[in-house]
Amino acid sequence: MVQSESWVRNLIQDSPIIAPSLLAADFANLEQEVRKLEAANAKVLHVDVMDGHFVPNISIGVPVVAALRKITQLPLDVHLMISEPEKYIEAFRNAGADSLLVHIEVVPDPVDILKKIRDLGAAPGLVLNPSTPVDAVLPFVQYADIILTMSVQPGFGGQAFRPEVLDKVRVLKQNIRSDTILSIDGGINQETIAESAQAGIQLFVAGTSVFEAEDYQKRIEEFKAIIKHSNGTHQSSD
Ligand code: DX5
Ligand code: ZN
């Protein structure tokens, strides 16, 4: 578990960052998958928690985060697709989560929970679904270290990217602190990563497109090269 909240700030120096989403990993060989991602130079692991209520799917919970924590030092970026996140943030933090991302749709006034997450020593993050207007999060962006724009309806990996959400990313980019990181999740691949970077994304969650690759490192490097090529001016201009 990363003790200092500054890990997100340090991460920004390293951007662009590809965060493999373990939802697409081989769960029967999770440790081996983590070792392969470490060898591939992944800087963050994205962990999708689903409750079968906020989203129509059930994935993993606190014990798996704790198990991951035992085997890796990589920051665990924990995406809570759950209805009552306030009930569980302490347990996830104790299990080793380094960030806790909560959906604005279930916490329309997230100030208290974001402060609590920070008090617990994790990086607070806010998430918005494709159909949620950016205005819903704008009043709260100063309380979050990570703003995650969903580019698919949450619940399942392997869905098609929704480019219209990038309009929201562009608005967010104009309204966040320079030490807040913009993230995107859903349908990120070789075709969609460049336009996301151009909109201002620095942290790219990618499930299917990483785990379907024969060589994770090559795929991550390929993504970084596409971003650099398409977006060289953007990353250095602000
Ligand atoms: C979707 C999850 C994503 C998912 C992305 O609800 O939040 O993190 O794993 O998967 P891909 O990259 O396959 O769209
Ligand atoms: Zn996710």
Side-chain angles (χ1 to χ4, degrees), residues 21-24 46-48 50 55 79 81 103 148 150 152-160 185-188 205-210:
S21 165
L22 294 178
L23 191 62
H46 183 83
V47 183
D48 286 305
M50 302 181 185
V55 290
H79 179 188
M81 287 165 275
H103 272 260
L148 172 59
M150 291 306 300
V152 298
Q153 186 62 21
F156 300 92
Q159 303 180 73
D185 184 3
I188 290 296
V205 176
T208 308
S209 61
V210 168

Coordinates of all heavy atoms in Angstrom, one line a residue, residues 21-24 46-48 50 55 79 81 103 148 150 152-160 185-188 205-210, ligand 1:
S21 N -6.6 -3.3 -16.6 CA -7.7 -3.6 -15.8 C -7.8 -5.1 -15.6 O -8.0 -5.9 -16.5 CB -9.0 -3.2 -16.4 OG -10.1 -3.8 -15.8
L22 N -7.6 -5.5 -14.3 CA -7.5 -6.9 -14.0 C -8.8 -7.7 -14.3 O -8.8 -9.0 -14.3 CB -7.1 -7.1 -12.5 CG -5.7 -6.6 -12.2 CD1 -5.4 -6.8 -10.7 CD2 -4.6 -7.3 -13.0
L23 N -9.9 -7.0 -14.6 CA -11.1 -7.7 -14.9 C -10.9 -8.6 -16.1 O -11.6 -9.7 -16.2 CB -12.2 -6.6 -15.3 CG -13.6 -7.1 -15.4 CD1 -14.1 -7.7 -14.1 CD2 -14.5 -6.0 -15.9
A24 N -10.0 -8.3 -17.0 CA -9.7 -9.1 -18.1 C -8.6 -10.1 -17.9 O -8.2 -10.8 -18.9 CB -9.4 -8.2 -19.3
H46 N -5.5 -1.6 -12.2 CA -6.9 -1.1 -12.0 C -7.7 -2.3 -11.6 O -7.7 -3.4 -12.2 CB -7.4 -0.5 -13.4 CG -8.8 0.0 -13.3 ND1 -9.1 1.3 -12.9 CD2 -10.0 -0.5 -13.7 CE1 -10.4 1.6 -13.0 NE2 -10.9 0.5 -13.4
V47 N -8.5 -2.1 -10.5 CA -9.2 -3.2 -9.9 C -10.7 -2.8 -9.9 O -11.1 -1.9 -9.3 CB -8.8 -3.4 -8.5 CG1 -9.5 -4.6 -7.9 CG2 -7.2 -3.7 -8.4
D48 N -11.5 -3.6 -10.6 CA -13.0 -3.3 -10.8 C -13.8 -4.1 -9.8 O -13.9 -5.3 -9.8 CB -13.4 -3.7 -12.2 CG -12.9 -2.7 -13.2 OD1 -13.1 -1.5 -13.1 OD2 -12.2 -3.1 -14.2
M50 N -17.5 -4.7 -8.4 CA -18.9 -4.6 -8.9 C -19.8 -5.4 -7.9 O -19.5 -6.5 -7.4 CB -19.1 -5.3 -10.3 CG -18.2 -4.7 -11.3 SD -18.5 -5.5 -12.9 CE -17.2 -4.7 -13.9
V55 N -24.3 -2.0 -10.8 CA -24.0 -2.5 -12.2 C -24.5 -4.0 -12.2 O -24.5 -4.6 -11.2 CB -22.5 -2.5 -12.6 CG1 -22.1 -1.1 -12.8 CG2 -21.7 -3.2 -11.6
H79 N -11.7 0.8 -8.4 CA -12.9 1.4 -9.0 C -14.2 0.7 -8.4 O -14.5 -0.4 -8.7 CB -12.8 1.1 -10.6 CG -14.0 1.7 -11.3 ND1 -14.2 1.4 -12.7 CD2 -15.0 2.5 -11.0 CE1 -15.2 2.0 -13.1 NE2 -15.8 2.6 -12.1
M81 N -17.7 0.2 -8.3 CA -19.0 0.2 -9.0 C -20.0 -0.4 -8.1 O -20.6 -1.5 -8.3 CB -18.9 -0.5 -10.4 CG -18.1 0.2 -11.4 SD -17.6 -0.8 -12.8 CE -16.1 -1.5 -12.1
H103 N -18.5 6.5 -7.7 CA -19.4 7.1 -8.8 C -20.3 8.2 -8.3 O -20.9 8.1 -7.3 CB -20.3 6.0 -9.4 CG -19.6 5.2 -10.5 ND1 -19.9 5.4 -11.8 CD2 -18.6 4.2 -10.5 CE1 -19.1 4.6 -12.6 NE2 -18.4 3.9 -11.8
L148 N -12.3 10.0 -13.3 CA -12.4 8.9 -14.2 C -13.7 9.1 -15.1 O -14.8 9.1 -14.5 CB -12.4 7.6 -13.5 CG -12.7 6.3 -14.3 CD1 -11.7 6.2 -15.4 CD2 -12.7 5.1 -13.5
M150 N -16.1 7.4 -17.6 CA -16.4 6.1 -18.2 C -16.7 6.3 -19.7 O -17.5 7.2 -20.1 CB -17.6 5.5 -17.6 CG -17.4 5.0 -16.1 SD -16.0 3.9 -15.9 CE -16.4 2.5 -16.9
V152 N -17.6 3.6 -21.5 CA -18.6 2.5 -21.7 C -19.5 2.6 -20.5 O -19.2 3.1 -19.5 CB -18.0 1.1 -21.9 CG1 -17.1 1.0 -23.0 CG2 -17.4 0.6 -20.6
Q153 N -20.7 2.0 -20.7 CA -21.6 1.8 -19.5 C -20.9 0.8 -18.6 O -20.6 -0.3 -19.1 CB -23.0 1.3 -20.0 CG -24.0 1.2 -18.9 CD -24.3 2.5 -18.3 OE1 -24.1 3.6 -18.8 NE2 -24.9 2.5 -17.1
P154 N -20.6 1.1 -17.3 CA -19.9 0.2 -16.5 C -20.6 -1.2 -16.2 O -21.8 -1.2 -16.3 CB -19.7 0.9 -15.2 CG -20.7 2.0 -15.1 CD -21.0 2.3 -16.6
G155 N -19.8 -2.2 -16.0 CA -20.4 -3.5 -15.7 C -19.6 -4.6 -16.4 O -19.5 -5.7 -15.9
F156 N -19.1 -4.3 -17.6 CA -18.5 -5.4 -18.4 C -17.3 -4.9 -19.2 O -17.4 -3.7 -19.7 CB -19.5 -6.0 -19.4 CG -20.7 -6.6 -18.7 CD1 -21.8 -5.9 -18.4 CD2 -20.7 -7.9 -18.2 CE1 -22.9 -6.4 -17.8 CE2 -21.8 -8.5 -17.6 CZ -22.9 -7.7 -17.3
G157 N -16.3 -5.7 -19.3 CA -15.2 -5.4 -20.2 C -15.6 -5.7 -21.7 O -16.7 -6.3 -21.9
G158 N -14.8 -5.3 -22.6 CA -15.0 -5.7 -24.0 C -16.0 -4.9 -24.8 O -16.4 -5.3 -25.8
Q159 N -16.5 -3.8 -24.2 CA -17.5 -3.0 -25.0 C -16.9 -1.9 -25.9 O -15.7 -1.6 -25.7 CB -18.4 -2.3 -24.0 CG -19.1 -3.2 -23.0 CD -20.0 -2.4 -22.0 OE1 -21.1 -1.9 -22.4 NE2 -19.6 -2.2 -20.8
A160 N -17.7 -1.4 -26.7 CA -17.2 -0.4 -27.7 C -17.1 1.0 -27.0 O -18.0 1.4 -26.3 CB -18.1 -0.3 -28.9
D185 N -11.9 4.9 -19.0 CA -12.1 3.5 -18.7 C -13.2 3.0 -19.6 O -14.3 3.4 -19.6 CB -12.5 3.3 -17.2 CG -12.6 1.9 -16.8 OD1 -12.3 1.0 -17.6 OD2 -12.9 1.7 -15.6
G186 N -12.8 2.0 -20.5 CA -13.8 1.3 -21.3 C -13.5 1.5 -22.8 O -13.5 2.6 -23.4
G187 N -13.2 0.3 -23.5 CA -13.0 0.3 -24.9 C -11.7 1.0 -25.4 O -11.6 1.4 -26.5
I188 N -10.7 1.1 -24.5 CA -9.4 1.7 -24.9 C -8.6 0.7 -25.6 O -8.3 -0.4 -25.1 CB -8.7 2.3 -23.6 CG1 -9.4 3.5 -23.1 CG2 -7.2 2.6 -24.0 CD1 -9.5 4.7 -24.0
V205 N -7.2 3.3 -18.6 CA -7.5 2.0 -18.1 C -7.8 1.1 -19.4 O -8.5 1.5 -20.2 CB -8.7 2.0 -17.2 CG1 -9.1 0.6 -16.8 CG2 -8.5 2.9 -16.0
A206 N -7.1 0.0 -19.4 CA -7.3 -0.9 -20.6 C -7.4 -2.4 -20.1 O -6.4 -2.9 -19.5 CB -6.2 -0.7 -21.6
G207 N -8.5 -3.0 -20.4 CA -8.6 -4.4 -20.0 C -8.4 -5.3 -21.2 O -7.3 -5.8 -21.4
T208 N -9.4 -5.5 -22.0 CA -9.3 -6.5 -23.1 C -8.1 -6.3 -24.0 O -7.4 -7.2 -24.3 CB -10.6 -6.3 -24.0 OG1 -11.7 -6.4 -23.2 CG2 -10.6 -7.4 -25.1
S209 N -7.8 -5.0 -24.3 CA -6.7 -4.7 -25.3 C -5.3 -5.1 -24.7 O -4.4 -5.4 -25.5 CB -6.8 -3.3 -25.7 OG -6.6 -2.4 -24.6
V210 N -5.2 -5.1 -23.4 CA -3.9 -5.5 -22.8 C -3.8 -7.0 -22.8 O -2.9 -7.7 -23.2 CB -3.6 -4.9 -21.4 CG1 -2.4 -5.5 -20.7 CG2 -3.4 -3.4 -21.6
Ligands
DX5_1 C1 -16.0 -1.7 -17.0 C2 -14.8 -1.6 -16.1 C3 -13.5 -1.5 -16.9 C4 -13.3 -2.7 -17.8 C5 -12.7 -2.1 -19.1 O1 -17.1 -1.6 -16.2 O2 -14.8 -0.5 -15.3 O3 -12.4 -1.2 -16.1 O4 -12.4 -3.7 -17.3 O5 -12.6 -3.2 -20.0 P1 -12.2 -2.9 -21.5 O6 -10.9 -2.3 -21.5 O7 -12.2 -4.3 -22.0 O8 -13.3 -2.1 -22.1

